[in-house]
Amino acid sequence: MDEALLRTLTPAVIGVLGRRGADFAAAEDAVQEALVEALRAWPDDPPRDPKGWLVTVAWRKFLDAARADASRRDREMRVEDEPPPGPGRAVDDTLQLYFLCAHPSLTPASAVALTLRAVGGLTTRQIARAYLVPEATMAQRISRAKRTVSSVRFDQAGDLATVLRVLYLVFNEGYGGDVDLAAEAIRLTRQLAGLTDEPEVAGLLALMLLHHARRASRTGAGGRLVPLAEQDRSRWDTGLIAEGVTILQAALARDRLGEYQAQAAIAALHADAQAACETDWVQIVEWYDELLLLTGSPVVRLNRAVAVGEADGPQAGLAALAEVSPGLPRYAAARAYLLERAGDLEQAAELYAEASRAATSVPERDHLTREAARVRQLPRP
């Protein structure tokens, strides 16, 4: 196959979809999926009109995504802005779709990616960002998952752990990303908690509620990002916090610790502090130790290093950060923060600027740019 031809045709196909009414991001996403399909199909059956083939397939992909997005928005319109406490409403078919997409024939990673794309309403780019992989890699993974399930009967429910992972990622994208899906994720997790007594389901629900309680204070005027330490804690939703803590305590009492319970315990310690200076960082580090044993996640290791810096001083935090790969997203921002606290203002400012260039959202980019400017203006020793 002539991959150079595909690269040459891509802008033209995106332009055609744009003229048909697709916005640029949606057109780009649809063309990406069409290119993946071309890589699979063309070697055995090359089309006579490559551009026409790509336009037809990309337009079909766009329409499928638009219908899925419309369906998702319709579900969201049935959910209040702030999810109410107590049991979830009667179960609809959305949760069932999550389980069906987590089909046993798929690997957990492929099942999560497929569900996020087909049911969760996330774009391929958003899913790739959550998994820390290139967009093209994720597009291929989703395409393979679709092919795998295209010939199977959806008569077997998927794995609970996979569904929890999907709900967790949907909430994270809704909480801090471009699409507001947080309330929908909470609604579905409430339903799931009413169907099973698995402690990790309760742990995930508690985690969502504790984070959602801070929603109103996370942004300032013009969408300006407000870091946790600077948030107005009087705006935190104490009702959601109380509910989240109660659910978490009941889950921990089962003595079957999992990663969502550990994350919720960290969130609860932040919520318990009346001011940032009263945060129990020593306990938070202990919970990160538990979380690291459960997951081995490099992201957890990065967050733990920042917590160690708060509990034991910036030099201890930098020593812990030395165990983290510098290529990890937000590594530069974490190191900049610890270096600033250690007094190395020149390098801290450089790293804040570097982190801003790698930011995945406009609010994060602007925040890190302001941090770089602020540190440059601080008096030097």
Side-chain angles (χ1 to χ4, degrees):
M1 171 184 297
D2 189 348
E3 296 190 17
L5 174 63
L6 288 178
R7 288 193 295 271
T8 301
L9 290 174
T10 295
V13 176
I14 291 175
V16 172
L17 265 63
R19 290 191 293 274
R20 290 186 179 183
D23 64 66
F24 180 79
E28 191 177 46
D29 202 46
V31 172
Q32 177 65 60
E33 291 197 36
L35 291 174
V36 172
E37 188 68 19
L39 290 170
R40 182 189 67 80
W42 285 15
D44 298 325
D45 185 20
R48 288 193 297 270
D49 179 8
K51 180 180 176 182
W53 189 98
L54 284 173
V55 169
T56 299
V57 174
W59 182 247
R60 188 184 309 130
K61 299 287 186 183
F62 166 75
L63 291 177
D64 288 345
R67 293 187 190 103
D69 190 55
S71 177
R72 175 187 57 75
R73 287 198 304 270
D74 181 63
R75 294 195 302 270
E76 288 179 359
M77 289 178 65
R78 300 196 299 267
V79 182
E80 295 179 359
D81 289 339
E82 294 299 328
R89 295 197 293 270
V91 178
D92 58 24
D93 62 354
T94 308
L95 191 57
Q96 182 183 7
L97 288 175
Y98 273 69
F99 274 96
L100 291 177
C101 283
H103 196 273
S105 64
L106 296 172
T107 65
S110 295
V112 170
L114 176 62
T115 314
L116 290 173
R117 187 71 183 90
V119 187
L122 274 62
T123 65
T124 304
R125 181 173 301 167
Q126 289 170 316
I127 302 168
R129 188 169 65 226
Y131 271 91
L132 309 180
V133 299
E135 184 177 353
T137 300
M138 182 54 65
Q140 291 174 351
R141 183 181 300 178
I142 294 171
S143 181
R144 285 195 300 269
K146 288 179 179 178
R147 289 199 301 271
T148 299
V149 300
S150 64
S151 60
V152 301
R153 290 177 57 85
F154 282 92
D155 54 2
Q156 290 180 273
D159 179 58
L160 175 62
T162 301
V163 173
L164 289 179
R165 181 65 179 165
V166 173
L167 290 169
Y168 174 77
L169 290 174
V170 169
F171 177 81
N172 281 349
E173 191 62 43
Y175 186 63
D178 302 324
V179 182
D180 183 6
L181 295 168
E184 173 73 351
I186 291 175
R187 181 181 75 86
L188 293 173
T189 307
R190 283 193 189 281
Q191 289 184 359
L192 192 54
L195 297 173
T196 176
D197 61 354
E198 168 58 45
E200 272 293 79
V201 177
L204 179 58
L205 178 57
L207 175 63
M208 290 178 175
L209 295 173
L210 289 163
H211 278 298
H212 208 65
R214 302 201 300 261
R215 181 184 184 124
S217 63
R218 292 185 69 247
T219 54
R224 179 173 178 149
L225 189 151
V226 181
L228 176 61
E230 300 172 18
Q231 289 176 14
D232 180 358
R233 299 184 179 220
S234 68
R235 300 182 67 195
W236 289 3
D237 188 324
T238 55
L240 286 181
I241 291 173
E243 185 187 4
V245 169
T246 299
I247 292 171
L248 173 62
Q249 289 173 337
L252 292 174
R254 304 284 300 279
D255 199 23
R256 287 163 52 196
L257 184 64
E259 61 174 298
Y260 301 121
Q261 295 169 73
Q263 288 190 57
I266 294 169
L269 286 167
H270 282 299
D272 188 55
Q274 296 298 307
C277 60
E278 298 176 14
T279 304
D280 190 342
W281 287 106
V282 173
Q283 272 203 73
I284 287 176
V285 171
E286 291 174 355
W287 277 110
Y288 271 123
D289 289 340
E290 294 282 356
L291 190 54
L292 198 55
L293 287 173
L294 289 165
T295 67
S297 165
V299 176
V300 171
R301 197 177 295 278
L302 175 71
N303 292 336
R304 178 188 177 277
V306 175
V308 168
E310 298 286 359
D312 300 326
Q315 293 301 337
L318 288 167
L321 192 63
E323 301 176 9
V324 179
S325 168
L328 195 68
R330 297 190 173 88
Y331 173 92
R335 183 167 173 78
Y337 174 74
L338 292 169
L339 285 171
E340 180 189 350
R341 292 195 59 222
D344 189 344
L345 301 183
E346 293 294 338
Q347 192 174 359
E350 291 178 7
L351 284 171
Y352 275 130
E354 177 186 328
S356 72
R357 292 190 291 271
T360 57
S361 70
V362 173
E364 182 183 10
R365 182 200 65 196
D366 292 348
H367 168 71
L368 291 168
T369 301
R370 287 192 297 268
E371 289 295 278
R374 176 185 61 78
V375 173
R376 289 192 182 103
Q377 293 173 0
L378 292 175
R380 299 312 190 245

